[in-house]
Amino acid sequence: MKKLYCFDFDGTLTYKDTMFMYLKFYDPTKFRLQFLKHVPLFVLLKLRLAETEKVKKSFIGSILKGQTQEKIEKKSRQFFEVHYPKIVRENALDFIKNIDRENTQSLLVTASLDIWARPFAEAFSMKLLATQAEFKNGVFTGNFIGKNCNGNEKLARIQTEIKGKKYDKIIAFGDTSGDKPMLKWANEGHYQFFH
């Protein structure tokens, strides 16, 4: 039986949101300053008066824009080494370890940026579908390539990835409204399964 697993990352497999953790890890001083500056935007976001993608881009860019790809990737590796497997839910880790790799394809589908999610995807032996950071001449522009990988975009990425492939069962795991299109589309959608 050929199966496809689609896992959300932040909150589903992990205890915490890795975006704030990573940015704080990258530059604690800059993080504190920019966090305070972005509080009004975060409030508007909660009230649904601001676009998630714009606020996210602004906050990430305020800390990482102009940084070299080399430095960002090095910090991502260090971040992973410090926090793995501590921030991953134990039952999620057990589940991942017991996946039948012969008959199952697994995707890590996340709104987090590919730069810090990649080491986790590699540790999980999963293909990463994430929000993509844009680099020009080895420097982060502060922009994304394509859309923020959330909501309908998550589903679109999965469908592009598996085009032409056949599965007997598609099983998805998520924990927020941003996972709903993926959960509804799958044969089995599990909400907060590892909580």
Side-chain angles (χ1 to χ4, degrees), residues 19-20 23 30-46 50 52-64:
M19 180 182 85
F20 290 107
L23 295 173
K30 210 171 186 182
F31 175 85
R32 279 192 289 274
L33 178 69
Q34 292 301 334
F35 187 88
L36 289 171
K37 280 188 179 178
H38 280 79
V39 164
L41 283 174
F42 294 145
V43 171
L44 289 174
L45 200 56
K46 280 277 182 221
T52 307
E53 191 165 337
K54 280 184 179 169
V55 175
K56 183 175 174 178
K57 207 178 274 188
S58 171
F59 187 55
I60 292 171
S62 72
I63 295 164
L64 299 181

Side-chain angles (χ1 to χ4, degrees), residues 57-184:
K57 207 178 274 188
S58 171
F59 187 55
I60 292 171
S62 72
I63 295 164
L64 299 181
K65 188 178 177 180
Q67 298 291 308
T68 65
Q69 186 166 357
E70 191 182 353
K71 186 181 175 186
I72 288 172
E73 284 175 357
K74 188 181 174 186
K75 279 281 198 181
S76 298
R77 176 58 54 191
Q78 288 168 350
F79 175 75
F80 170 79
E81 285 163 4
V82 168
H83 294 290
Y84 182 84
K86 290 187 299 236
I87 61 163
V88 184
R89 296 177 186 276
E90 274 181 49
N91 52 349
L93 266 182
D94 288 340
F95 187 94
I96 290 163
K97 279 177 191 163
N98 291 308
I99 290 171
D100 170 15
R101 302 287 177 176
E102 291 285 302
N103 303 298
T104 310
Q105 185 186 357
S106 298
L107 303 174
L108 188 64
V109 195
T110 177
S112 269
L113 258 65
D114 51 358
I115 44 185
W116 69 80
R118 189 171 289 114
F120 290 90
E122 287 167 2
F124 298 146
S125 301
M126 294 181 194
K127 173 81 190 269
L128 179 65
L129 305 179
T131 303
Q132 290 176 280
E134 183 187 67
F135 290 94
K136 281 191 178 156
N137 304 317
V139 174
F140 181 49
T141 64
N143 286 319
F144 304 155
I145 297 169
K147 292 178 182 170
N148 184 33
C149 187
N150 201 24
N152 291 322
E153 181 62 17
K154 278 194 175 190
L155 182 52
R157 297 276 189 97
I158 295 165
Q159 289 170 330
T160 301
E161 178 61 32
I162 66 165
K163 206 171 181 182
K165 291 178 186 171
K166 289 266 186 284
Y167 299 95
D168 298 305
K169 194 179 254 187
I170 297 172
I171 303 162
F173 301 87
D175 76 316
T176 63
S177 58
D179 300 314
K180 283 189 176 160
M182 169 176 87
L183 296 175
K184 277 183 188 167

